[in-house]
Amino acid sequence: MKGILGRKLGMTTLYKDGKAFGVTVVKAGPCTVVQKKTLEGGEYDAIQVGFEELTPERAKKILTKPLVKKFEAAKVKPQRVLKEFKVGNINDYTVGDIIEVGVFSEGEKVDVTGYSKGRGFSGAMKRWNFRGGEASHGAKFHRELGSVGNHTEPAKIWKGKKMAGQYGNEKKTIKNLTVVKVDAENGLIAIYGAVPGARGGLLVIKSATR
């Protein structure tokens, strides 16, 4: 299992072998190994990595005191984001190691996790793509939800009913995406297809699980 953190830059088109690929470009890494967890220590084999280095002054403003002490104990520079990855061989990593985008190669399959665009409190038609009522005059039912429950029995709205509410800002994972190009010099990775989130959103890129 390999993993790295990055920020979504946007989408573009890459041409390779006479074919056009719509890709998402991600600024990935460098990530620093902050902590190792081992099966012998009563947990599991995993590493905790940090992303986006902070100055000590900035870290004291936006991080909690326990986190600041955690970085000091590990003797690594403070990081804005922490994420855990399970690994096959924990002995391949040491606290302070740098993980760069070069760990992935072209043609490799990856799973990408991020948060979808938040659209706030939305109506049922926008949130669930409902058809709505007639658009003609006199219909008195246009962009409304319609009936939501039964009559006197059970006299309630069933849980899970598709209604108005928070739309977006949900954790999403797109599986089995293909790495089209890796620019190790600039820390960029181009992934075939769309990934969750808006530009600048945090992404977790891992080796495909299936």
Side-chain angles (χ1 to χ4, degrees):
M1 175 65 70
K2 296 180 290 186
I4 197 169
L5 303 175
R7 293 282 180 184
K8 180 178 178 179
L9 297 183
M11 295 194 71
T12 186
T13 303
L14 287 183
Y15 296 92
K16 187 177 180 181
D17 299 329
K19 297 181 180 179
F21 295 88
V23 299
T24 302
V25 181
V26 181
K27 180 71 171 70
C31 296
T32 306
V33 178
V34 177
Q35 181 184 357
K36 291 172 60 176
K37 295 184 177 181
T38 61
L39 190 62
E40 291 76 11
E43 297 187 89
Y44 43 85
D45 288 343
I47 57 172
Q48 193 175 65
V49 302
F51 177 57
E52 293 182 340
E53 185 179 304
L54 298 170
T55 62
E57 296 76 17
R58 184 62 177 162
K60 291 180 180 179
K61 287 185 178 181
I62 67 175
L63 299 181
T64 61
K65 288 183 179 179
L67 273 180
V68 174
K69 293 295 183 181
K70 179 186 181 77
F71 291 117
E72 290 177 354
K75 297 181 179 179
V76 297
K77 294 182 178 179
Q79 310 286 320
R80 183 183 297 272
V81 183
L82 285 176
K83 178 66 180 176
E84 194 174 280
F85 295 100
K86 289 187 177 181
V87 295
N89 187 2
I90 193 67
N91 297 321
D92 292 340
Y93 301 91
T94 305
V95 173
D97 286 352
I98 303 298
I99 301 174
E100 296 182 329
V101 72
V103 296
F104 293 102
S105 56
E106 296 181 7
E108 193 170 352
K109 296 288 186 179
V110 294
D111 295 341
V112 182
T113 302
Y115 281 83
S116 60
K117 289 184 180 180
R119 294 170 175 84
F121 190 96
S122 302
M125 286 189 64
K126 179 178 180 179
R127 188 183 184 198
W128 301 108
N129 198 30
F130 286 166
R131 174 178 175 272
E134 298 293 335
S136 58
H137 294 288
K140 299 182 180 179
F141 172 64
H142 304 294
R143 295 185 58 83
E144 298 179 20
L145 178 61
S147 177
V148 296
N150 302 74
H151 204 257
T152 54
E153 177 63 35
K156 66 177 182 180
I157 299 175
W158 295 104
K159 288 185 179 180
K161 179 69 177 177
K162 293 181 177 179
M163 302 178 69
Q166 169 67 34
Y167 179 28
N169 195 30
E170 295 179 323
K171 190 176 182 180
K172 300 286 186 180
T173 299
I174 308 298
K175 293 179 175 289
N176 290 322
L177 297 176
T178 304
V179 176
V180 177
K181 187 175 181 180
V182 176
D183 185 353
E185 183 178 350
N186 296 308
L188 302 176
I189 182 171
I191 301 172
Y192 185 35
V195 301
R199 292 186 185 94
L202 181 68
L203 296 175
V204 180
I205 305 172
K206 297 188 295 185
S207 301
T209 55
R210 60 176 177 82

Coordinates of all heavy atoms in Angstrom, one line a residue, residues 72-136:
E72 N 7.4 18.1 17.9 CA 8.7 18.3 18.6 C 9.3 17.0 19.1 O 10.5 16.8 19.0 CB 8.4 19.3 19.8 CG 8.1 20.7 19.4 CD 7.8 21.6 20.6 OE1 7.8 21.0 21.7 OE2 7.7 22.8 20.4
A73 N 8.4 16.1 19.6 CA 9.0 14.8 20.1 C 9.5 14.0 18.9 O 10.5 13.2 19.1 CB 7.8 14.0 20.8
A74 N 8.8 14.1 17.7 CA 9.3 13.3 16.6 C 10.5 14.0 15.9 O 11.0 13.4 14.9 CB 8.1 13.2 15.6
K75 N 10.8 15.2 16.3 CA 11.9 16.0 15.7 C 11.7 16.2 14.2 O 12.6 16.1 13.4 CB 13.2 15.3 15.9 CG 13.6 15.2 17.4 CD 14.9 14.5 17.6 CE 15.3 14.5 19.1 NZ 16.6 13.8 19.4
V76 N 10.4 16.5 13.8 CA 10.1 16.9 12.5 C 9.4 18.3 12.5 O 8.8 18.7 13.5 CB 9.2 15.8 11.8 CG1 9.9 14.5 11.7 CG2 7.9 15.7 12.5
K77 N 9.4 18.9 11.4 CA 8.8 20.3 11.3 C 7.3 20.1 11.3 O 6.7 19.1 10.8 CB 9.2 21.0 10.0 CG 10.7 21.3 10.0 CD 11.1 22.1 8.7 CE 12.6 22.4 8.8 NZ 13.0 23.2 7.5
P78 N 6.6 21.1 11.9 CA 5.1 21.0 12.0 C 4.4 20.9 10.7 O 4.9 21.5 9.7 CB 4.7 22.3 12.8 CG 6.0 22.7 13.4 CD 7.1 22.3 12.6
Q79 N 3.4 20.1 10.6 CA 2.6 20.0 9.3 C 1.2 20.4 9.5 O 0.6 20.2 10.6 CB 2.7 18.5 8.9 CG 4.1 17.9 8.8 CD 4.9 18.4 7.7 OE1 4.5 18.6 6.6 NE2 6.2 18.7 7.9
R80 N 0.6 20.9 8.5 CA -0.8 21.3 8.5 C -1.8 20.2 8.6 O -2.8 20.2 9.3 CB -1.2 22.2 7.3 CG -2.6 22.8 7.3 CD -2.9 23.6 6.1 NE -2.0 24.7 5.9 CZ -2.2 25.9 6.5 NH1 -3.3 26.1 7.1 NH2 -1.4 26.9 6.3
V81 N -1.5 19.1 7.8 CA -2.4 18.0 7.7 C -1.7 16.7 8.1 O -0.5 16.5 7.8 CB -2.9 17.8 6.2 CG1 -3.9 16.7 6.1 CG2 -3.5 19.1 5.7
L82 N -2.4 15.8 8.9 CA -1.9 14.5 9.2 C -2.9 13.4 8.7 O -4.1 13.6 8.7 CB -1.8 14.4 10.8 CG -0.7 15.1 11.5 CD1 -0.8 14.9 13.0 CD2 0.6 14.6 11.0
K83 N -2.3 12.4 8.2 CA -3.1 11.3 7.6 C -2.3 9.9 7.8 O -1.1 9.9 7.8 CB -3.3 11.5 6.1 CG -4.1 10.4 5.4 CD -5.5 10.2 5.9 CE -6.2 9.1 5.2 NZ -7.6 8.9 5.7
E84 N -3.1 8.9 8.1 CA -2.5 7.6 8.4 C -2.7 6.6 7.2 O -3.7 6.6 6.6 CB -3.2 7.0 9.6 CG -2.5 5.8 10.2 CD -3.1 5.4 11.5 OE1 -2.9 6.1 12.6 OE2 -3.9 4.5 11.5
F85 N -1.6 5.9 6.9 CA -1.7 4.9 5.8 C -1.2 3.5 6.4 O -0.1 3.5 7.0 CB -0.8 5.3 4.7 CG -1.2 6.5 3.9 CD1 -0.6 7.7 4.2 CD2 -2.2 6.5 3.0 CE1 -1.0 8.9 3.5 CE2 -2.6 7.6 2.3 CZ -2.0 8.8 2.6
K86 N -2.0 2.5 6.1 CA -1.5 1.2 6.5 C -0.5 0.7 5.4 O -0.7 0.9 4.3 CB -2.7 0.2 6.5 CG -3.6 0.4 7.7 CD -4.6 -0.7 7.9 CE -5.5 -0.5 9.1 NZ -6.5 -1.6 9.3
V87 N 0.6 0.1 5.9 CA 1.6 -0.4 5.0 C 1.9 -1.8 5.2 O 1.6 -2.4 6.2 CB 2.9 0.5 5.3 CG1 2.7 1.9 4.9 CG2 3.4 0.3 6.7
G88 N 2.5 -2.4 4.2 CA 2.8 -3.9 4.2 C 4.0 -4.2 5.1 O 4.0 -5.1 5.9
N89 N 5.1 -3.4 4.9 CA 6.3 -3.6 5.7 C 6.7 -2.3 6.4 O 7.2 -1.4 5.8 CB 7.5 -4.1 4.8 CG 8.7 -4.5 5.5 OD1 8.7 -4.5 6.8 ND2 9.7 -4.8 4.8
I90 N 6.5 -2.3 7.7 CA 6.7 -1.0 8.5 C 8.2 -0.7 8.5 O 8.6 0.5 8.7 CB 6.1 -1.2 9.9 CG1 6.1 0.2 10.6 CG2 6.9 -2.2 10.7 CD1 5.1 1.2 10.0
N91 N 9.1 -1.7 8.3 CA 10.5 -1.5 8.4 C 11.1 -0.7 7.3 O 12.2 -0.3 7.3 CB 11.2 -2.8 8.6 CG 10.9 -3.6 9.8 OD1 10.7 -2.9 10.9 ND2 10.7 -4.9 9.7
D92 N 10.2 -0.5 6.2 CA 10.7 0.3 5.1 C 10.7 1.8 5.4 O 11.1 2.6 4.5 CB 9.8 0.0 3.9 CG 10.0 -1.4 3.3 OD1 11.0 -2.0 3.7 OD2 9.1 -1.9 2.6
Y93 N 10.1 2.2 6.5 CA 9.9 3.6 6.8 C 10.6 4.0 8.1 O 10.7 3.2 9.0 CB 8.4 4.0 6.9 CG 7.7 3.7 5.6 CD1 7.1 2.4 5.4 CD2 7.6 4.6 4.6 CE1 6.4 2.2 4.2 CE2 6.9 4.4 3.4 CZ 6.3 3.1 3.2 OH 5.6 2.9 2.1
T94 N 11.0 5.2 8.2 CA 11.6 5.8 9.4 C 11.0 7.1 9.6 O 10.8 7.9 8.7 CB 13.2 5.9 9.3 OG1 13.7 4.6 8.9 CG2 13.8 6.3 10.6
V95 N 10.8 7.5 10.9 CA 10.3 8.8 11.2 C 11.3 9.9 10.6 O 12.5 9.8 10.8 CB 10.2 9.0 12.7 CG1 9.8 10.4 13.0 CG2 9.1 8.0 13.2
G96 N 10.7 10.8 9.9 CA 11.5 11.8 9.2 C 11.7 11.6 7.7 O 12.1 12.5 7.0
D97 N 11.3 10.4 7.2 CA 11.4 10.1 5.8 C 10.5 11.0 5.0 O 9.4 11.3 5.5 CB 11.1 8.6 5.5 CG 12.2 7.7 5.9 OD1 13.3 8.2 6.3 OD2 12.0 6.5 5.9
I98 N 10.9 11.3 3.8 CA 10.1 12.1 2.9 C 9.5 11.3 1.8 O 10.2 10.5 1.1 CB 10.9 13.3 2.2 CG1 11.6 14.1 3.3 CG2 10.1 14.1 1.3 CD1 10.6 14.9 4.2
I99 N 8.2 11.4 1.6 CA 7.5 10.6 0.6 C 7.1 11.6 -0.5 O 6.4 12.6 -0.3 CB 6.2 9.9 1.1 CG1 6.6 9.0 2.3 CG2 5.5 9.2 0.0 CD1 5.4 8.4 3.0
E100 N 7.6 11.3 -1.7 CA 7.3 12.2 -2.9 C 6.5 11.5 -3.9 O 6.2 10.3 -3.8 CB 8.6 12.7 -3.5 CG 9.4 13.5 -2.5 CD 10.7 14.1 -3.1 OE1 11.3 13.4 -4.0 OE2 11.2 15.1 -2.7
V101 N 6.0 12.3 -4.9 CA 5.0 11.8 -5.9 C 5.7 10.7 -6.7 O 5.0 9.9 -7.4 CB 4.5 12.9 -6.7 CG1 5.6 13.4 -7.7 CG2 3.3 12.5 -7.5
G102 N 7.0 10.6 -6.7 CA 7.7 9.5 -7.5 C 7.4 8.1 -7.1 O 7.8 7.2 -7.8
V103 N 6.7 7.9 -5.9 CA 6.4 6.6 -5.5 C 5.4 5.9 -6.4 O 5.2 4.7 -6.5 CB 5.8 6.6 -4.0 CG1 6.9 7.0 -3.1 CG2 4.6 7.4 -3.9
F104 N 4.6 6.8 -7.2 CA 3.7 6.2 -8.2 C 4.3 6.3 -9.6 O 5.2 7.1 -9.8 CB 2.4 7.0 -8.1 CG 1.6 6.9 -6.9 CD1 1.6 7.9 -5.9 CD2 0.8 5.8 -6.6 CE1 0.9 7.7 -4.7 CE2 0.1 5.6 -5.5 CZ 0.2 6.6 -4.5
S105 N 3.8 5.4 -10.4 CA 4.4 5.4 -11.8 C 3.2 5.4 -12.8 O 2.1 5.2 -12.4 CB 5.2 4.1 -12.0 OG 4.4 3.0 -11.7
E106 N 3.5 5.8 -14.0 CA 2.5 5.9 -15.1 C 1.9 4.5 -15.3 O 2.6 3.5 -15.4 CB 3.2 6.4 -16.4 CG 3.7 7.8 -16.2 CD 4.3 8.4 -17.5 OE1 4.2 7.7 -18.5 OE2 4.9 9.5 -17.5
G107 N 0.6 4.5 -15.5 CA -0.2 3.3 -15.7 C -0.7 2.6 -14.5 O -1.4 1.7 -14.5
E108 N -0.2 3.1 -13.3 CA -0.6 2.5 -12.0 C -2.1 2.9 -11.7 O -2.6 4.0 -12.0 CB 0.3 2.9 -10.9 CG 0.2 2.2 -9.7 CD 1.3 2.5 -8.7 OE1 2.3 3.2 -9.1 OE2 1.3 2.0 -7.5
K109 N -2.8 2.0 -11.0 CA -4.2 2.2 -10.6 C -4.2 2.8 -9.2 O -3.5 2.3 -8.3 CB -5.0 0.9 -10.6 CG -5.2 0.3 -12.0 CD -6.1 1.2 -12.8 CE -6.4 0.5 -14.2 NZ -7.3 1.3 -15.0
V110 N -5.0 3.8 -8.9 CA -5.0 4.4 -7.6 C -6.5 4.7 -7.2 O -7.4 4.8 -8.1 CB -4.3 5.8 -7.6 CG1 -2.8 5.5 -7.8 CG2 -4.8 6.7 -8.7
D111 N -6.7 4.8 -5.9 CA -8.0 5.3 -5.4 C -7.8 6.7 -4.8 O -6.8 7.0 -4.1 CB -8.4 4.4 -4.2 CG -8.7 3.0 -4.7 OD1 -8.9 2.8 -5.9 OD2 -8.8 2.1 -3.8
V112 N -8.7 7.6 -5.2 CA -8.6 9.0 -4.8 C -9.7 9.4 -3.9 O -10.9 9.2 -4.2 CB -8.5 9.9 -6.0 CG1 -8.3 11.4 -5.5 CG2 -7.4 9.5 -6.9
T113 N -9.4 9.9 -2.7 CA -10.5 10.3 -1.7 C -10.4 11.8 -1.5 O -9.3 12.4 -1.3 CB -10.3 9.6 -0.4 OG1 -10.3 8.2 -0.6 CG2 -11.4 9.9 0.6
G114 N -11.6 12.4 -1.5 CA -11.7 13.9 -1.2 C -13.1 14.2 -0.8 O -13.9 13.3 -0.6
Y115 N -13.3 15.5 -0.5 CA -14.7 15.9 -0.1 C -15.3 16.7 -1.3 O -14.7 17.6 -1.9 CB -14.6 16.9 1.1 CG -14.4 16.1 2.4 CD1 -13.2 15.7 2.8 CD2 -15.5 15.8 3.1 CE1 -13.0 15.0 4.0 CE2 -15.4 15.1 4.3 CZ -14.2 14.7 4.7 OH -14.0 13.9 5.9
S116 N -16.5 16.3 -1.6 CA -17.2 16.9 -2.8 C -17.5 18.4 -2.5 O -17.5 18.8 -1.3 CB -18.5 16.1 -3.0 OG -19.4 16.2 -1.9
K117 N -17.8 19.1 -3.6 CA -18.1 20.5 -3.4 C -19.3 20.7 -2.5 O -20.4 20.1 -2.7 CB -18.4 21.1 -4.8 CG -17.2 21.3 -5.7 CD -17.6 22.0 -7.0 CE -16.4 22.2 -7.9 NZ -16.7 22.9 -9.1
G118 N -19.2 21.6 -1.5 CA -20.3 21.9 -0.7 C -21.2 23.0 -1.3 O -20.8 24.0 -1.8
R119 N -22.5 22.6 -1.4 CA -23.5 23.5 -2.0 C -24.5 24.1 -1.0 O -25.5 24.6 -1.4 CB -24.2 22.8 -3.1 CG -23.3 22.4 -4.3 CD -23.9 21.5 -5.3 NE -23.1 21.2 -6.4 CZ -22.1 20.3 -6.5 NH1 -21.8 19.6 -5.4 NH2 -21.4 20.2 -7.6
G120 N -24.2 23.9 0.3 CA -25.1 24.4 1.3 C -26.5 23.7 1.4 O -26.6 22.6 0.9
F121 N -27.4 24.4 2.0 CA -28.8 23.9 2.1 C -29.5 24.1 0.8 O -29.7 25.2 0.3 CB -29.5 24.6 3.2 CG -30.8 24.0 3.6 CD1 -30.9 23.1 4.7 CD2 -32.0 24.3 2.9 CE1 -32.1 22.5 5.0 CE2 -33.2 23.7 3.2 CZ -33.3 22.8 4.3
S122 N -29.9 22.9 0.2 CA -30.5 23.0 -1.1 C -31.8 22.3 -1.1 O -32.1 21.4 -0.3 CB -29.6 22.2 -2.2 OG -28.3 22.8 -2.2
G123 N -32.7 22.7 -2.1 CA -34.0 22.2 -2.2 C -34.0 20.8 -2.8 O -32.9 20.3 -3.3
A124 N -35.1 20.1 -2.7 CA -35.1 18.7 -3.1 C -34.9 18.5 -4.6 O -34.2 17.5 -5.0 CB -36.5 18.1 -2.7
M125 N -35.3 19.4 -5.4 CA -35.1 19.3 -6.9 C -33.6 19.4 -7.2 O -33.1 18.6 -8.0 CB -35.9 20.3 -7.6 CG -37.4 20.0 -7.7 SD -38.3 21.1 -8.8 CE -37.6 20.7 -10.3
K126 N -32.9 20.3 -6.6 CA -31.5 20.5 -6.9 C -30.7 19.3 -6.3 O -29.8 18.8 -6.9 CB -31.0 21.8 -6.4 CG -29.5 22.0 -6.7 CD -29.1 23.4 -6.2 CE -27.6 23.6 -6.4 NZ -27.1 25.0 -6.0
R127 N -31.1 19.0 -5.1 CA -30.3 18.0 -4.3 C -30.4 16.6 -4.9 O -29.5 15.8 -4.9 CB -30.7 18.0 -2.8 CG -29.9 17.2 -1.9 CD -30.4 17.2 -0.5 NE -29.5 16.5 0.4 CZ -29.9 16.1 1.6 NH1 -31.1 16.3 2.1 NH2 -29.0 15.4 2.4
W128 N -31.7 16.2 -5.3 CA -31.9 14.8 -5.7 C -32.3 14.7 -7.2 O -32.7 13.7 -7.7 CB -33.1 14.2 -4.9 CG -32.7 14.2 -3.4 CD1 -33.3 15.0 -2.5 CD2 -31.8 13.4 -2.8 NE1 -32.7 14.7 -1.2 CE2 -31.8 13.7 -1.4 CE3 -30.9 12.4 -3.2 CZ2 -31.0 13.1 -0.5 CZ3 -30.1 11.7 -2.3 CH2 -30.1 12.1 -0.9
N129 N -32.3 15.9 -7.9 CA -32.6 15.9 -9.4 C -34.0 15.4 -9.6 O -34.3 14.7 -10.6 CB -31.6 15.0 -10.1 CG -31.6 15.3 -11.6 OD1 -31.8 16.4 -12.0 ND2 -31.3 14.3 -12.4
F130 N -34.9 15.9 -8.8 CA -36.3 15.6 -9.0 C -36.9 16.3 -10.2 O -36.4 17.4 -10.6 CB -37.2 16.0 -7.8 CG -37.0 15.0 -6.6 CD1 -37.5 15.3 -5.4 CD2 -36.4 13.8 -6.8 CE1 -37.3 14.5 -4.3 CE2 -36.3 12.9 -5.7 CZ -36.7 13.3 -4.5
R131 N -37.9 15.8 -10.9 CA -38.5 16.4 -12.0 C -39.3 17.6 -11.7 O -39.3 18.6 -12.4 CB -39.4 15.4 -12.8 CG -40.1 15.9 -13.9 CD -40.9 14.8 -14.6 NE -41.8 15.3 -15.7 CZ -43.0 15.8 -15.5 NH1 -43.5 15.8 -14.3 NH2 -43.7 16.2 -16.5
G132 N -40.0 17.7 -10.6 CA -40.9 18.8 -10.2 C -42.3 18.6 -10.9 O -42.6 17.6 -11.6
G133 N -43.1 19.6 -10.7 CA -44.4 19.6 -11.3 C -44.5 20.3 -12.6 O -43.5 20.6 -13.3
E134 N -45.7 20.5 -13.1 CA -46.0 21.1 -14.4 C -45.5 22.6 -14.4 O -45.6 23.2 -13.4 CB -47.5 21.0 -14.7 CG -48.0 19.6 -14.9 CD -47.4 18.9 -16.0 OE1 -47.0 19.5 -17.0 OE2 -47.3 17.6 -16.0
A135 N -45.0 23.0 -15.5 CA -44.5 24.4 -15.6 C -45.6 25.3 -16.1 O -45.4 26.5 -16.2 CB -43.3 24.4 -16.6
S136 N -46.8 24.8 -16.5 CA -47.8 25.6 -17.1 C -48.5 26.5 -16.0 O -48.4 26.2 -14.8 CB -48.9 24.7 -17.7 OG -49.4 23.8 -16.8

